[in-house]
Amino acid sequence: MIWVAATLIAATAQTARNAAQAGLTKDIGTVGATAVRFVFGFPFALLALALAGALVPIPRPDLAVLGWAALGAMAQIAATALMLMTMRQQGFGVATALMKTEPVTLALIGAVVLAEPLGLARLGAIGVATSGVVLASGAGWGRAAWSSVATGVLAGGLFGLSAIGFRGALLALPDGGFVTRAVTILSLTLGLQAAVMVAWLAVRDRPALKGIARHWRVSLGAGALGAFASLFWFIGFALTPAANVRTLALIEVVMAHVLSGRMFRQTVRPAQLAGMGLILAGVGWLLAIAAR
């Protein structure tokens, strides 16, 4: 059950990273703030790889590993772009709920691409937890445009595809323990993503690139948290199907509501409480299945 601990650590670190990035969006834009997690996370991934290499041999990626990693890296960037588009059109609540349909699409993609078994019980747990996210979001669905719903669901599917790419890369490595595999793929994917984002900003948004450099202290903290979270996501992916990891990660929605209530005194409606209850029930069901 190491994957459970890894996922909970990753979800907690990701919540902290999101809080660290929140202030950057106003100063350098959403694309610039998104780039921070890759550009400033990459050096920390290399540091972790160097420390691991001092203790154990690092597996050498072949073309299959590179292909899976590139799939995961590019799908994650595309998903982030669609997520930002959905947030701009429909607001945070609707976009968040649509993003969190990821475990459903992830389970289906994993069954087709990696031949990972679904099972009715596992699908039921994923469905209950995902339904809870829709309620907990507090989104105003009556005003949601179908085009935005489509882009949001597509973004969730691409996030699922990125997780499949990362797990495929981890499994394709010829040798190494789960931590070594995770550090290797983390460094590879963050390197690819950092290169793509820097090239994009250099061509399309140089002010954002300058803003990232100007706010390097905050960016460094966000990058460190992002790399730390991604490392534990990858440890989870190395040990169990990605759908299990991302379903358990829905606990992050409950964490975010608790944080909002304590820090910003935001009230939670009864429907949202019911949604959080469904998330916890679905996650508990999944853990019971995994423990068999």
Side-chain angles (χ1 to χ4, degrees), residues 169-258:
L170 289 159
L171 295 178
L173 282 172
D175 49 36
F178 61 87
V179 175
T180 308
R181 289 171 181 263
V183 171
T184 303
I185 299 304
L186 174 68
S187 301
L188 181 59
T189 54
L190 279 180
L192 288 171
Q193 290 169 321
V196 168
M197 292 304 297
V198 168
W200 175 269
L201 290 175
V203 174
R204 300 295 298 269
D205 196 352
R206 290 188 180 182
L209 198 58
K210 293 177 181 177
I212 290 173
R214 188 168 61 252
H215 295 279
W216 67 269
R217 288 183 178 84
V218 178
S219 298
L220 198 63
L225 285 168
F228 183 77
S230 294
L231 174 60
F232 281 91
W233 287 132
F234 285 11
I235 288 174
F237 292 154
L239 293 171
T240 191
N244 288 351
V245 174
R246 299 307 291 170
T247 302
L248 178 57
L250 293 179
I251 199 72
E252 179 188 344
V253 176
V254 180
M255 291 181 188
H257 276 293
V258 172

Side-chain angles (χ1 to χ4, degrees), residues 40-51 183-184 186-188 190-191 223 227:
F40 284 86
F42 182 46
F44 291 100
L46 288 180
L47 177 61
L49 185 66
L51 291 174
V183 171
T184 303
L186 174 68
S187 301
L188 181 59
L190 279 180

Side-chain angles (χ1 to χ4, degrees), residues 16 27 30 36 47 69 85 101 131 134 145 159 169-170 172 204 218 233 248 264 267-268 271 275 277 283-284:
D27 297 321
T30 51
V36 162
L47 177 61
M85 184 188 306
T101 58
S131 299
V134 174
F159 275 124
L170 289 159
R204 300 295 298 269
V218 178
W233 287 132
L248 178 57
F264 306 112
T267 57
V268 180
V283 166

Side-chain angles (χ1 to χ4, degrees), residues 82-83 85-86 89 98-99 146-156:
L82 286 172
M83 176 189 71
M85 184 188 306
T86 306
Q89 293 173 348
L98 292 170
M99 296 309 104
W146 282 109
S147 59
S148 297
V149 171
T151 58
V153 171
L154 180 58

Side-chain angles (χ1 to χ4, degrees), residues 100 103-104 120-136 247 250 274-286 289:
K100 297 302 183 181
V104 177
L120 290 177
R122 188 158 158 256
L123 275 176
I126 292 171
V128 168
T130 304
S131 299
V133 172
V134 174
L135 278 176
T247 302
L250 293 179
M276 285 186 271
L278 284 175
I279 293 171
L280 294 175
V283 166
W285 188 1
L286 178 70
I289 296 168

